[in-house]
């Protein structure tokens, strides 16, 4: 980078909310499998605390040496349903508490991978893990969970879809904050550094460093300089900005991997907003030209933003992966919150937007009396968008007991706050209760 680029990057950090959202260490636990769950948990704790013992320290060193803020230091691990299945335990809460203890010892922000991959059917360990989710998440502080219920290659496991609607309701009754740590995926990826859906896939190295960058504020500032110009110019401006942001992410990832003596994995290009002023994907879309998110044209603007970010990032880094798109979590984005409060944005429009962005219906607060079948229907819709479009989609909804449409709920920290959004009051139970498998689409047959 020349002196001008260094100056621009420094200005992005000081004035435009640019940060590295996370450095995430992925750790394989396959060598921790044991038929005795106590021994397995001891091995898990020892391996995580050994491999990641310097993760937080290295992150702080990079912040000090390079002046680049790193908002989170996180860990992902092999899906616990695969590790715990060798034991004869009837629940896997012990494993979740082991992960929580390790995260606390290390001082990391989150540990992800209390997960199951059930897109084509259940193994016994998957069923036990899913049934353990409410208790495991409500009794831990740092553990994040995910369940993959569908894929383009496999179709959608509707029995799992039904189960996850029920689990979300059970979790909400224990503690509604539990569902902020639970994601239901279609086409989940193995190298996602972001939470709550991160886990370490079985095809990944034994240990690896992945980086998630951010920067919606940087993109918005760049677009303010091309007001009134054509969409070609807008796309090119976003590409150039994404290039600079990704370069920073690659630098941080490479340095962290070298200091920790582990391979550098990927940079995830996702634009991850926060509820802070000037750090909003919604405001980027409004700078492109829609008066407020939810207006007609919003989906087109988001599609262009997502594509331009990927094009710029791919030129900047040879190892790109994860989710790599624009996140649109309602509670974590000040512009999204405002659009909901003004009646401009609803779940139907958000669903349409998820067809062209990263992830899906994310951090959406809904009435506490929402039926489980309605939540399952929302999961099925998002999974179908992911399956047909060969992309990752997900649902992270939070039923809040005692709250009704228009009320507000405070999540705190990076999770922000959210107005309670309306869901359809039409019944989805007949379809959800059919169970079985929605077959994979014809275009999945590519061998």
């Amino acid at each position: 980078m020349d002196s001008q680029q260094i100056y621009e990057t420094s200005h992005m950090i000081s004035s435009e909310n640019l940060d590295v959202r996370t450095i995430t260490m992925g750790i394989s636990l396959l060598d921790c499998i044991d038929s005795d769950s106590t021994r397995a948990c001891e091995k898990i704790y020892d391996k995580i605390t050994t491999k990641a013992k310097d993760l937080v320290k290295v992150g702080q060193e990079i912040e000090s040496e390079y002046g680049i803020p790193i908002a989170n230091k996180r860990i992902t691990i092999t899906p616990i349903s695969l590790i715990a299945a060798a034991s004869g335990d009837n629940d896997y809460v012990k494993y979740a508490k082991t992960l929580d203890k390790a995260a606390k010892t290390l001082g990391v922000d989150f540990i992800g991978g209390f997960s199951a991959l059930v897109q084509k059917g259940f193994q016994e360990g998957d069923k036990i893990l899913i049934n353990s989710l409410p208790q495991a998440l409500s009794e831990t502080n740092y553990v994040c969970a995910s369940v993959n219920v569908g894929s383009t290659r496999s179709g959608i496991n509707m029995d799992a879809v039904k189960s996850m609607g029920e689990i979300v309701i059970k979790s909400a009754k224990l503690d509604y904050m539990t569902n902020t740590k639970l994601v239901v995926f279609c086409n989940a990826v193995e190298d996602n550094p972001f939470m709550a859906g991160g886990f370490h896939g079985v095809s990944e190295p034994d240990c690896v460093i992945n980086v998630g960058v951010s920067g919606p504020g940087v993109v918005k500032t760049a677009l303010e300089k091309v007001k009134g110009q054509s969409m070609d110019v807008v796309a090119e401006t976003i590409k150039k900005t994404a290039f600079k942001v990704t370069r920073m992410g690659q630098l941080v990832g490479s340095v962290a991997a070298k200091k920790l003596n582990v391979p550098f994995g990927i940079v995830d290009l996702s634009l991850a907003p926060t509820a802070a002023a000037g750090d909003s994907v919604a405001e980027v879309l409004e700078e492109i030209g829609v008066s407020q998110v939810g207006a007609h044209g919003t989906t087109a603007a988001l599609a262009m933003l997502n594509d331009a970010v990927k094009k710029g990032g791919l030129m900047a880094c040879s190892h790109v992966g994860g989710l790599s798109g624009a996140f649109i979590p309602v509670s974590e984005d000040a512009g999204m919150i405002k659009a909901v409060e003004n009646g401009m944005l609803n779940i139907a429009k958000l669903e349409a937007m998820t067809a062209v962005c990263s992830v899906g219906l994310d951090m959406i607060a809904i009435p506490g009396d929402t039926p489980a079948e309605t939540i399952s229907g929302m999961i099925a819709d998002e999974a179908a968008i992911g399956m047909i479009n060969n992309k990752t989609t997900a649902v992270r909804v939070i039923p809040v007991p005692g709250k009704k449409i228009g009320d507000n709920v405070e999540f705190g920290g990076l999770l922000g706050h959210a107005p309670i959004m309306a869901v359809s009051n039409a019944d989805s139970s007949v379809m959800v209760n059919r169970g079985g498998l929605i077959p994979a689409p014809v275009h999945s047959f590519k061998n």
Side-chain angles (χ1 to χ4, degrees), residues 5-17:
Q5 289 174 312
I6 293 170
Y7 171 77
E8 288 175 356
T9 304
S10 176
H11 183 71
M12 290 174 184
I13 292 168
S14 63
S15 304
E16 299 168 14
N17 294 300

Side-chain angles (χ1 to χ4, degrees), residues 18 59 99 109 121 126 128 130 134 137 154 172 239 307 313 351 353 412 415 438 440:
L18 177 61
L99 299 176
D109 298 282
D126 299 324
I128 295 172
I130 288 171
L137 293 179
S154 302
K239 279 169 53 181
D307 182 63
E351 183 181 303
M353 293 165 66
L415 298 177
I438 294 180

Side-chain angles (χ1 to χ4, degrees), residues 236-306:
E236 189 66 20
T237 302
I238 295 169
K239 279 169 53 181
K240 290 178 178 178
T241 306
F243 180 93
K244 296 171 187 174
V245 171
T246 307
R247 274 291 200 214
M248 186 188 73
Q250 179 173 262
L251 169 66
V252 169
S254 300
V255 172
K258 185 176 181 180
K259 284 176 175 285
L260 292 163
N261 195 30
V262 298
F264 171 47
I266 59 92
V267 176
D268 188 318
L269 308 177
S270 300
L271 290 183
T274 69
D279 200 25
S280 163
V281 169
E283 291 175 3
V284 174
L285 301 177
E286 290 163 8
E287 188 61 39
I288 290 172
V290 294
S291 61
Q292 192 163 39
V293 168
H296 296 300
T298 298
T299 305
L302 181 58
M304 188 206 61
L305 171 65
N306 217 39

Side-chain angles (χ1 to χ4, degrees), residues 48 98 138 175 218 290 327 419 433:
I48 292 172
T98 299
S138 65
D175 180 354
V218 176
V290 294
F327 289 154
N433 289 325

Side-chain angles (χ1 to χ4, degrees), residues 1 3 17 73 82 106 128 148 151 174 177 210 246 290 299 308 325 339 360 381-382 417 422 424 433 442:
M1 297 180 76
S3 58
N17 294 300
K73 294 84 177 174
L82 303 177
L106 294 167
I128 295 172
N148 193 67
S151 74
L174 290 176
M177 287 294 292
N210 297 318
T246 307
V290 294
T299 305
D381 285 343
E382 277 300 304
H417 67 95
S424 173
N433 289 325
V442 64

Side-chain angles (χ1 to χ4, degrees), residues 51-378:
K51 291 286 186 181
K53 63 183 175 62
D54 294 325
L55 178 62
V56 172
K57 182 181 77 171
V58 164
Q60 292 168 343
E61 287 175 358
I62 294 171
E63 289 179 292
S64 177
E65 289 174 21
Y66 293 89
I68 299 172
I70 301 173
N72 292 279
K73 294 84 177 174
R74 298 165 172 167
I75 294 169
T76 56
I77 47 95
T78 311
I80 285 295
S81 67
L82 303 177
I83 307 303
S87 73
D89 290 20
N90 294 320
D91 70 64
Y92 296 157
V93 176
K94 178 193 293 186
Y95 289 84
K97 290 184 175 180
T98 299
L99 299 176
D100 206 51
K101 180 183 175 184
K104 184 177 181 180
T105 298
L106 294 167
V108 298
D109 298 282
F110 288 111
I111 184 165
F114 196 76
S115 306
L117 311 177
V118 296
Q119 55 266 31
K120 206 169 183 180
F122 298 100
Q123 298 179 37
E124 190 60 31
D126 299 324
K127 293 179 181 178
I128 295 172
L129 182 132
I130 288 171
N131 289 331
S132 302
L133 284 167
Q135 183 182 355
L137 293 179
S138 65
E139 295 183 6
T140 57
N141 296 312
Y142 306 100
V143 175
C144 292
S146 59
V147 177
N148 193 67
V149 299
S151 74
T152 299
R153 294 287 292 179
S154 302
I156 302 171
N157 181 349
M158 288 300 292
D159 292 313
V161 169
K162 178 184 178 183
S163 292
M164 291 313 299
E166 295 167 351
I167 290 297
V168 168
I169 292 298
K170 288 178 183 176
S171 298
K173 290 178 179 177
L174 290 176
D175 180 354
Y176 70 84
M177 287 294 292
T178 293
N179 285 309
T180 67
K181 301 186 292 177
L182 173 61
V183 180
V184 185
F185 275 119
C186 177
N187 287 322
V189 296
E190 297 190 334
D191 54 3
N192 171 18
F194 285 100
M195 297 298 165
F199 64 88
H200 188 70
V202 295
S203 66
E204 293 287 297
D206 185 64
C207 189
V208 69
I209 283 290
N210 297 318
V211 173
V213 297
S214 185
V218 176
V219 175
K220 180 179 183 295
T221 300
L223 291 180
E224 289 172 354
K225 299 170 185 174
V226 294
K227 288 183 183 293
Q229 299 192 46
S230 72
M231 293 295 275
D232 309 79
V233 175
V234 171
E236 189 66 20
T237 302
I238 295 169
K239 279 169 53 181
K240 290 178 178 178
T241 306
F243 180 93
K244 296 171 187 174
V245 171
T246 307
R247 274 291 200 214
M248 186 188 73
Q250 179 173 262
L251 169 66
V252 169
S254 300
V255 172
K258 185 176 181 180
K259 284 176 175 285
L260 292 163
N261 195 30
V262 298
F264 171 47
I266 59 92
V267 176
D268 188 318
L269 308 177
S270 300
L271 290 183
T274 69
D279 200 25
S280 163
V281 169
E283 291 175 3
V284 174
L285 301 177
E286 290 163 8
E287 188 61 39
I288 290 172
V290 294
S291 61
Q292 192 163 39
V293 168
H296 296 300
T298 298
T299 305
L302 181 58
M304 188 206 61
L305 171 65
N306 217 39
D307 182 63
V309 166
K310 290 181 180 181
K311 287 173 178 172
L314 285 168
M315 288 296 292
C317 179
S318 56
H319 298 285
V320 171
L323 299 167
S324 288
F327 289 154
I328 53 170
V330 172
S331 77
E332 299 174 28
D333 188 309
M336 295 287 179
I337 295 168
K338 185 177 178 181
V340 173
E341 290 174 340
N342 291 345
M344 290 296 298
L345 187 61
N346 55 34
I347 288 177
K349 184 60 176 178
L350 282 165
E351 183 181 303
M353 293 165 66
T354 63
V356 299
C357 76
S358 184
V359 190
L361 296 176
D362 194 17
M363 286 304 296
I364 295 172
I366 60 176
D369 59 359
T370 303
E373 293 85 358
T374 298
I375 295 171
S376 294
M378 296 167 72

